PDB file of all heavy atoms in Angstrom:
ATOM      1  N   ARG A 232     135.079 121.600 161.756  1.00  0.00           N
ATOM      2  CA  ARG A 232     134.213 122.122 162.812  1.00  0.00           C
ATOM      3  C   ARG A 232     132.791 122.074 162.244  1.00  0.00           C
ATOM      4  O   ARG A 232     132.470 122.718 161.257  1.00  0.00           O
ATOM      5  CB  ARG A 232     134.585 123.561 163.183  1.00  0.00           C
ATOM      6  CG  ARG A 232     135.877 123.654 163.984  1.00  0.00           C
ATOM      7  CD  ARG A 232     136.282 125.081 164.219  1.00  0.00           C
ATOM      8  NE  ARG A 232     135.263 125.857 164.895  1.00  0.00           N
ATOM      9  CZ  ARG A 232     134.979 125.826 166.201  1.00  0.00           C
ATOM     10  NH1 ARG A 232     135.706 125.026 166.990  1.00  0.00           N
ATOM     11  NH2 ARG A 232     134.055 126.563 166.732  1.00  0.00           N
ATOM     12  N   VAL A 233     131.949 121.292 162.908  1.00  0.00           N
ATOM     13  CA  VAL A 233     130.640 120.980 162.334  1.00  0.00           C
ATOM     14  C   VAL A 233     129.529 121.147 163.370  1.00  0.00           C
ATOM     15  O   VAL A 233     129.764 121.166 164.584  1.00  0.00           O
ATOM     16  CB  VAL A 233     130.601 119.541 161.786  1.00  0.00           C
ATOM     17  CG1 VAL A 233     131.639 119.336 160.696  1.00  0.00           C
ATOM     18  CG2 VAL A 233     130.826 118.504 162.898  1.00  0.00           C
ATOM     19  N   GLY A 234     128.302 121.251 162.847  1.00  0.00           N
ATOM     20  CA  GLY A 234     127.105 121.224 163.690  1.00  0.00           C
ATOM     21  C   GLY A 234     126.316 119.993 163.326  1.00  0.00           C
ATOM     22  O   GLY A 234     126.255 119.600 162.145  1.00  0.00           O
ATOM     23  N   GLU A 235     125.696 119.369 164.309  1.00  0.00           N
ATOM     24  CA  GLU A 235     124.928 118.134 164.052  1.00  0.00           C
ATOM     25  C   GLU A 235     123.465 118.492 163.833  1.00  0.00           C
ATOM     26  O   GLU A 235     122.804 119.065 164.677  1.00  0.00           O
ATOM     27  CB  GLU A 235     125.045 117.189 165.287  1.00  0.00           C
ATOM     28  CG  GLU A 235     124.317 115.895 165.134  1.00  0.00           C
ATOM     29  CD  GLU A 235     124.438 115.019 166.344  1.00  0.00           C
ATOM     30  OE1 GLU A 235     125.615 114.658 166.682  1.00  0.00           O
ATOM     31  OE2 GLU A 235     123.425 114.691 166.940  1.00  0.00           O
ATOM     32  N   VAL A 236     122.958 118.098 162.673  1.00  0.00           N
ATOM     33  CA  VAL A 236     121.593 118.355 162.255  1.00  0.00           C
ATOM     34  C   VAL A 236     120.839 117.044 162.126  1.00  0.00           C
ATOM     35  O   VAL A 236     121.385 116.086 161.609  1.00  0.00           O
ATOM     36  CB  VAL A 236     121.563 119.089 160.880  1.00  0.00           C
ATOM     37  CG1 VAL A 236     120.126 119.174 160.342  1.00  0.00           C
ATOM     38  CG2 VAL A 236     122.136 120.500 161.033  1.00  0.00           C
ATOM     39  N   LEU A 237     119.622 116.979 162.638  1.00  0.00           N
ATOM     40  CA  LEU A 237     118.809 115.788 162.523  1.00  0.00           C
ATOM     41  C   LEU A 237     117.740 115.973 161.464  1.00  0.00           C
ATOM     42  O   LEU A 237     117.114 117.063 161.373  1.00  0.00           O
ATOM     43  CB  LEU A 237     118.126 115.444 163.849  1.00  0.00           C
ATOM     44  CG  LEU A 237     119.051 114.960 164.994  1.00  0.00           C
ATOM     45  CD1 LEU A 237     118.245 114.530 166.197  1.00  0.00           C
ATOM     46  CD2 LEU A 237     119.906 113.796 164.523  1.00  0.00           C
ATOM     47  N   CYS A 238     117.549 114.950 160.660  1.00  0.00           N
ATOM     48  CA  CYS A 238     116.668 115.023 159.499  1.00  0.00           C
ATOM     49  C   CYS A 238     115.761 113.789 159.510  1.00  0.00           C
ATOM     50  O   CYS A 238     116.255 112.670 159.507  1.00  0.00           O
ATOM     51  CB  CYS A 238     117.530 115.077 158.230  1.00  0.00           C
ATOM     52  SG  CYS A 238     116.631 115.370 156.715  1.00  0.00           S
ATOM     53  N   SER A 239     114.450 113.970 159.545  1.00  0.00           N
ATOM     54  CA  SER A 239     113.505 112.840 159.597  1.00  0.00           C
ATOM     55  C   SER A 239     113.216 112.378 158.152  1.00  0.00           C
ATOM     56  O   SER A 239     112.786 113.186 157.300  1.00  0.00           O
ATOM     57  CB  SER A 239     112.192 113.236 160.277  1.00  0.00           C
ATOM     58  OG  SER A 239     112.451 113.468 161.666  1.00  0.00           O
ATOM     59  N   VAL A 240     113.402 111.084 157.913  1.00  0.00           N
ATOM     60  CA  VAL A 240     113.227 110.519 156.583  1.00  0.00           C
ATOM     61  C   VAL A 240     111.736 110.307 156.269  1.00  0.00           C
ATOM     62  O   VAL A 240     110.977 109.852 157.145  1.00  0.00           O
ATOM     63  CB  VAL A 240     113.990 109.165 156.480  1.00  0.00           C
ATOM     64  CG1 VAL A 240     113.718 108.545 155.091  1.00  0.00           C
ATOM     65  CG2 VAL A 240     115.435 109.395 156.744  1.00  0.00           C
ATOM     66  N   ASP A 241     111.337 110.696 155.090  1.00  0.00           N
ATOM     67  CA  ASP A 241     109.943 110.587 154.674  1.00  0.00           C
ATOM     68  C   ASP A 241     109.588 109.115 154.391  1.00  0.00           C
ATOM     69  O   ASP A 241     110.408 108.368 153.804  1.00  0.00           O
ATOM     70  CB  ASP A 241     109.658 111.387 153.398  1.00  0.00           C
ATOM     71  CG  ASP A 241     109.951 112.877 153.612  1.00  0.00           C
ATOM     72  OD1 ASP A 241     109.898 113.319 154.782  1.00  0.00           O
ATOM     73  OD2 ASP A 241     110.184 113.562 152.624  1.00  0.00           O
ATOM     74  N   GLY A 242     108.355 108.738 154.743  1.00  0.00           N
ATOM     75  CA  GLY A 242     107.799 107.467 154.337  1.00  0.00           C
ATOM     76  C   GLY A 242     108.583 106.256 154.856  1.00  0.00           C
ATOM     77  O   GLY A 242     109.216 106.315 155.893  1.00  0.00           O
ATOM     78  N   GLU A 243     108.506 105.166 154.140  1.00  0.00           N
ATOM     79  CA  GLU A 243     109.129 103.917 154.505  1.00  0.00           C
ATOM     80  C   GLU A 243     110.623 103.961 154.203  1.00  0.00           C
ATOM     81  O   GLU A 243     111.004 104.150 153.071  1.00  0.00           O
ATOM     82  CB  GLU A 243     108.480 102.750 153.761  1.00  0.00           C
ATOM     83  CG  GLU A 243     109.103 101.406 154.019  1.00  0.00           C
ATOM     84  CD  GLU A 243     109.135 101.036 155.499  1.00  0.00           C
ATOM     85  OE1 GLU A 243     108.105 101.241 156.164  1.00  0.00           O
ATOM     86  OE2 GLU A 243     110.200 100.567 155.960  1.00  0.00           O
ATOM     87  N   PRO A 244     111.510 103.800 155.239  1.00  0.00           N
ATOM     88  CA  PRO A 244     112.921 103.942 154.962  1.00  0.00           C
ATOM     89  C   PRO A 244     113.531 102.783 154.159  1.00  0.00           C
ATOM     90  O   PRO A 244     114.605 102.941 153.582  1.00  0.00           O
ATOM     91  CB  PRO A 244     113.541 103.978 156.389  1.00  0.00           C
ATOM     92  CG  PRO A 244     112.543 103.263 157.244  1.00  0.00           C
ATOM     93  CD  PRO A 244     111.196 103.568 156.650  1.00  0.00           C
ATOM     94  N   GLY A 245     112.861 101.670 154.119  1.00  0.00           N
ATOM     95  CA  GLY A 245     113.393 100.536 153.367  1.00  0.00           C
ATOM     96  C   GLY A 245     114.730 100.065 153.812  1.00  0.00           C
ATOM     97  O   GLY A 245     114.928  99.680 154.956  1.00  0.00           O
ATOM     98  N   ARG A 246     115.734 100.198 152.930  1.00  0.00           N
ATOM     99  CA  ARG A 246     117.079  99.717 153.217  1.00  0.00           C
ATOM    100  C   ARG A 246     117.911 100.713 154.012  1.00  0.00           C
ATOM    101  O   ARG A 246     119.128 100.488 154.223  1.00  0.00           O
ATOM    102  CB  ARG A 246     117.812  99.363 151.915  1.00  0.00           C
ATOM    103  CG  ARG A 246     117.209  98.178 151.188  1.00  0.00           C
ATOM    104  CD  ARG A 246     117.981  97.870 149.903  1.00  0.00           C
ATOM    105  NE  ARG A 246     117.444  96.707 149.209  1.00  0.00           N
ATOM    106  CZ  ARG A 246     117.943  96.227 148.110  1.00  0.00           C
ATOM    107  NH1 ARG A 246     118.954  96.826 147.520  1.00  0.00           N
ATOM    108  NH2 ARG A 246     117.421  95.155 147.539  1.00  0.00           N
ATOM    109  N   LEU A 247     117.347 101.786 154.403  1.00  0.00           N
ATOM    110  CA  LEU A 247     118.063 102.823 155.184  1.00  0.00           C
ATOM    111  C   LEU A 247     118.123 102.344 156.614  1.00  0.00           C
ATOM    112  O   LEU A 247     117.353 102.737 157.466  1.00  0.00           O
ATOM    113  CB  LEU A 247     117.356 104.187 155.071  1.00  0.00           C
ATOM    114  CG  LEU A 247     118.140 105.373 155.526  1.00  0.00           C
ATOM    115  CD1 LEU A 247     119.402 105.561 154.705  1.00  0.00           C
ATOM    116  CD2 LEU A 247     117.284 106.637 155.429  1.00  0.00           C
ATOM    117  N   ILE A 248     119.099 101.500 156.917  1.00  0.00           N
ATOM    118  CA  ILE A 248     119.207 100.808 158.213  1.00  0.00           C
ATOM    119  C   ILE A 248     120.069 101.652 159.162  1.00  0.00           C
ATOM    120  O   ILE A 248     120.858 102.477 158.701  1.00  0.00           O
ATOM    121  CB  ILE A 248     119.819  99.428 158.065  1.00  0.00           C
ATOM    122  CG1 ILE A 248     121.179  99.494 157.388  1.00  0.00           C
ATOM    123  CG2 ILE A 248     118.873  98.521 157.246  1.00  0.00           C
ATOM    124  CD1 ILE A 248     121.888  98.137 157.295  1.00  0.00           C
ATOM    125  N   PRO A 249     119.929 101.437 160.459  1.00  0.00           N
ATOM    126  CA  PRO A 249     120.720 102.206 161.416  1.00  0.00           C
ATOM    127  C   PRO A 249     122.221 102.044 161.180  1.00  0.00           C
ATOM    128  O   PRO A 249     122.696 100.992 160.765  1.00  0.00           O
ATOM    129  CB  PRO A 249     120.323 101.602 162.781  1.00  0.00           C
ATOM    130  CG  PRO A 249     118.915 101.094 162.562  1.00  0.00           C
ATOM    131  CD  PRO A 249     118.912 100.584 161.129  1.00  0.00           C
ATOM    132  N   ASN A 250     122.992 103.106 161.428  1.00  0.00           N
ATOM    133  CA  ASN A 250     124.453 103.163 161.297  1.00  0.00           C
ATOM    134  C   ASN A 250     124.966 103.100 159.878  1.00  0.00           C
ATOM    135  O   ASN A 250     126.157 103.001 159.636  1.00  0.00           O
ATOM    136  CB  ASN A 250     125.090 102.037 162.132  1.00  0.00           C
ATOM    137  CG  ASN A 250     125.058 102.293 163.606  1.00  0.00           C
ATOM    138  OD1 ASN A 250     124.831 103.408 164.053  1.00  0.00           O
ATOM    139  ND2 ASN A 250     125.217 101.260 164.379  1.00  0.00           N
ATOM    140  N   LEU A 251     124.068 103.193 158.896  1.00  0.00           N
ATOM    141  CA  LEU A 251     124.481 103.286 157.487  1.00  0.00           C
ATOM    142  C   LEU A 251     125.043 104.667 157.207  1.00  0.00           C
ATOM    143  O   LEU A 251     124.413 105.659 157.567  1.00  0.00           O
ATOM    144  CB  LEU A 251     123.289 102.954 156.574  1.00  0.00           C
ATOM    145  CG  LEU A 251     123.578 103.016 155.079  1.00  0.00           C
ATOM    146  CD1 LEU A 251     124.456 101.841 154.653  1.00  0.00           C
ATOM    147  CD2 LEU A 251     122.261 102.953 154.271  1.00  0.00           C
ATOM    148  N   THR A 252     126.176 104.739 156.582  1.00  0.00           N
ATOM    149  CA  THR A 252     126.779 106.018 156.208  1.00  0.00           C
ATOM    150  C   THR A 252     126.125 106.541 154.968  1.00  0.00           C
ATOM    151  O   THR A 252     126.019 105.829 153.936  1.00  0.00           O
ATOM    152  CB  THR A 252     128.292 105.863 155.975  1.00  0.00           C
ATOM    153  OG1 THR A 252     128.906 105.429 157.180  1.00  0.00           O
ATOM    154  CG2 THR A 252     128.912 107.202 155.596  1.00  0.00           C
ATOM    155  N   VAL A 253     125.638 107.797 154.989  1.00  0.00           N
ATOM    156  CA  VAL A 253     124.991 108.409 153.852  1.00  0.00           C
ATOM    157  C   VAL A 253     125.588 109.725 153.523  1.00  0.00           C
ATOM    158  O   VAL A 253     126.301 110.313 154.357  1.00  0.00           O
ATOM    159  CB  VAL A 253     123.441 108.591 154.094  1.00  0.00           C
ATOM    160  CG1 VAL A 253     122.766 107.260 154.358  1.00  0.00           C
ATOM    161  CG2 VAL A 253     123.215 109.542 155.291  1.00  0.00           C
ATOM    162  N   SER A 254     125.353 110.202 152.330  1.00  0.00           N
ATOM    163  CA  SER A 254     125.700 111.578 151.928  1.00  0.00           C
ATOM    164  C   SER A 254     124.420 112.358 151.754  1.00  0.00           C
ATOM    165  O   SER A 254     123.364 111.815 151.401  1.00  0.00           O
ATOM    166  CB  SER A 254     126.460 111.558 150.584  1.00  0.00           C
ATOM    167  OG  SER A 254     127.681 110.845 150.726  1.00  0.00           O
ATOM    168  N   ALA A 255     124.466 113.652 152.085  1.00  0.00           N
ATOM    169  CA  ALA A 255     123.252 114.490 152.037  1.00  0.00           C
ATOM    170  C   ALA A 255     123.489 115.746 151.173  1.00  0.00           C
ATOM    171  O   ALA A 255     124.584 116.316 151.206  1.00  0.00           O
ATOM    172  CB  ALA A 255     122.850 114.928 153.445  1.00  0.00           C
ATOM    173  N   ARG A 256     122.455 116.082 150.429  1.00  0.00           N
ATOM    174  CA  ARG A 256     122.490 117.310 149.638  1.00  0.00           C
ATOM    175  C   ARG A 256     121.321 118.148 150.078  1.00  0.00           C
ATOM    176  O   ARG A 256     120.145 117.709 150.024  1.00  0.00           O
ATOM    177  CB  ARG A 256     122.368 117.013 148.128  1.00  0.00           C
ATOM    178  CG  ARG A 256     122.324 118.259 147.272  1.00  0.00           C
ATOM    179  CD  ARG A 256     122.264 117.871 145.802  1.00  0.00           C
ATOM    180  NE  ARG A 256     123.470 117.187 145.362  1.00  0.00           N
ATOM    181  CZ  ARG A 256     123.643 116.714 144.142  1.00  0.00           C
ATOM    182  NH1 ARG A 256     122.684 116.820 143.247  1.00  0.00           N
ATOM    183  NH2 ARG A 256     124.758 116.131 143.793  1.00  0.00           N
ATOM    184  N   ILE A 257     121.594 119.403 150.566  1.00  0.00           N
ATOM    185  CA  ILE A 257     120.542 120.289 151.016  1.00  0.00           C
ATOM    186  C   ILE A 257     120.579 121.546 150.170  1.00  0.00           C
ATOM    187  O   ILE A 257     121.413 122.474 150.430  1.00  0.00           O
ATOM    188  CB  ILE A 257     120.730 120.641 152.523  1.00  0.00           C
ATOM    189  CG1 ILE A 257     120.869 119.384 153.371  1.00  0.00           C
ATOM    190  CG2 ILE A 257     119.599 121.492 153.030  1.00  0.00           C
ATOM    191  CD1 ILE A 257     121.113 119.620 154.826  1.00  0.00           C
ATOM    192  N   PRO A 258     119.734 121.685 149.181  1.00  0.00           N
ATOM    193  CA  PRO A 258     119.685 122.930 148.389  1.00  0.00           C
ATOM    194  C   PRO A 258     119.246 124.076 149.264  1.00  0.00           C
ATOM    195  O   PRO A 258     118.237 124.005 149.947  1.00  0.00           O
ATOM    196  CB  PRO A 258     118.672 122.631 147.299  1.00  0.00           C
ATOM    197  CG  PRO A 258     118.487 121.154 147.305  1.00  0.00           C
ATOM    198  CD  PRO A 258     118.737 120.707 148.692  1.00  0.00           C
ATOM    199  N   SER A 259     119.982 125.176 149.261  1.00  0.00           N
ATOM    200  CA  SER A 259     119.622 126.339 150.044  1.00  0.00           C
ATOM    201  C   SER A 259     119.301 127.565 149.206  1.00  0.00           C
ATOM    202  O   SER A 259     118.612 128.479 149.644  1.00  0.00           O
ATOM    203  CB  SER A 259     120.749 126.673 151.059  1.00  0.00           C
ATOM    204  OG  SER A 259     121.938 126.955 150.342  1.00  0.00           O
ATOM    205  N   ALA A 260     119.844 127.621 148.028  1.00  0.00           N
ATOM    206  CA  ALA A 260     119.596 128.759 147.112  1.00  0.00           C
ATOM    207  C   ALA A 260     120.038 128.341 145.694  1.00  0.00           C
ATOM    208  O   ALA A 260     120.751 127.367 145.489  1.00  0.00           O
ATOM    209  CB  ALA A 260     120.354 129.991 147.573  1.00  0.00           C
ATOM    210  N   HIS A 261     119.628 129.181 144.729  1.00  0.00           N
ATOM    211  CA  HIS A 261     119.970 128.934 143.336  1.00  0.00           C
ATOM    212  C   HIS A 261     120.204 130.266 142.615  1.00  0.00           C
ATOM    213  O   HIS A 261     119.414 131.187 142.759  1.00  0.00           O
ATOM    214  CB  HIS A 261     118.852 128.157 142.647  1.00  0.00           C
ATOM    215  CG  HIS A 261     119.111 127.875 141.203  1.00  0.00           C
ATOM    216  ND1 HIS A 261     119.973 126.937 140.764  1.00  0.00           N
ATOM    217  CD2 HIS A 261     118.600 128.511 140.087  1.00  0.00           C
ATOM    218  CE1 HIS A 261     120.006 126.917 139.440  1.00  0.00           C
ATOM    219  NE2 HIS A 261     119.195 127.862 138.996  1.00  0.00           N
ATOM    220  N   VAL A 262     121.305 130.318 141.869  1.00  0.00           N
ATOM    221  CA  VAL A 262     121.572 131.517 141.099  1.00  0.00           C
ATOM    222  C   VAL A 262     121.989 131.094 139.693  1.00  0.00           C
ATOM    223  O   VAL A 262     122.523 129.980 139.497  1.00  0.00           O
ATOM    224  CB  VAL A 262     122.714 132.365 141.723  1.00  0.00           C
ATOM    225  CG1 VAL A 262     122.284 132.984 143.020  1.00  0.00           C
ATOM    226  CG2 VAL A 262     123.991 131.533 141.938  1.00  0.00           C
ATOM    227  N   GLU A 263     121.772 131.939 138.734  1.00  0.00           N
ATOM    228  CA  GLU A 263     122.115 131.691 137.353  1.00  0.00           C
ATOM    229  C   GLU A 263     123.342 132.494 136.912  1.00  0.00           C
ATOM    230  O   GLU A 263     123.457 133.699 137.238  1.00  0.00           O
ATOM    231  CB  GLU A 263     120.924 132.071 136.418  1.00  0.00           C
ATOM    232  CG  GLU A 263     119.683 131.184 136.604  1.00  0.00           C
ATOM    233  CD  GLU A 263     119.835 129.800 136.068  1.00  0.00           C
ATOM    234  OE1 GLU A 263     120.814 129.565 135.329  1.00  0.00           O
ATOM    235  OE2 GLU A 263     118.995 128.935 136.374  1.00  0.00           O
ATOM    236  N   ALA A 264     124.275 131.832 136.259  1.00  0.00           N
ATOM    237  CA  ALA A 264     125.439 132.500 135.675  1.00  0.00           C
ATOM    238  C   ALA A 264     126.211 133.390 136.630  1.00  0.00           C
ATOM    239  O   ALA A 264     126.564 134.509 136.334  1.00  0.00           O
ATOM    240  CB  ALA A 264     125.028 133.302 134.445  1.00  0.00           C
ATOM    241  N   ALA A 265     126.431 132.899 137.852  1.00  0.00           N
ATOM    242  CA  ALA A 265     127.135 133.685 138.864  1.00  0.00           C
ATOM    243  C   ALA A 265     128.609 133.323 138.804  1.00  0.00           C
ATOM    244  O   ALA A 265     128.977 132.202 138.527  1.00  0.00           O
ATOM    245  CB  ALA A 265     126.572 133.386 140.252  1.00  0.00           C
ATOM    246  N   PRO A 266     129.514 134.307 139.109  1.00  0.00           N
ATOM    247  CA  PRO A 266     130.966 133.992 139.175  1.00  0.00           C
ATOM    248  C   PRO A 266     131.182 132.968 140.309  1.00  0.00           C
ATOM    249  O   PRO A 266     130.600 133.101 141.391  1.00  0.00           O
ATOM    250  CB  PRO A 266     131.585 135.352 139.522  1.00  0.00           C
ATOM    251  CG  PRO A 266     130.573 136.370 139.135  1.00  0.00           C
ATOM    252  CD  PRO A 266     129.263 135.727 139.323  1.00  0.00           C
ATOM    253  N   SER A 267     132.035 131.989 140.023  1.00  0.00           N
ATOM    254  CA  SER A 267     132.231 130.943 141.052  1.00  0.00           C
ATOM    255  C   SER A 267     133.652 130.415 140.907  1.00  0.00           C
ATOM    256  O   SER A 267     134.333 130.599 139.891  1.00  0.00           O
ATOM    257  CB  SER A 267     131.211 129.821 140.878  1.00  0.00           C
ATOM    258  OG  SER A 267     131.385 129.184 139.603  1.00  0.00           O
TER     259      SER A 267
END
């Protein structure tokens, strides 16, 4: 179950062509030495 998010690419996309499958990493927070 997902939500669709749109993300505008910075600068010249180069080889980032339409319909290319990509993976995304979105840092939201950072903690040190937390139980995980």
Side-chain angles (χ1 to χ4, degrees):
R232 287 175 56 79
V233 300
E235 181 181 300
V236 170
L237 291 184
C238 187
S239 294
V240 178
D241 299 337
E243 176 57 45
R246 294 181 177 180
L247 194 60
I248 59 177
N250 287 342
L251 180 70
T252 299
V253 298
S254 298
R256 177 179 295 177
I257 307 178
S259 59
H261 177 77
V262 291
E263 295 287 348
S267 64

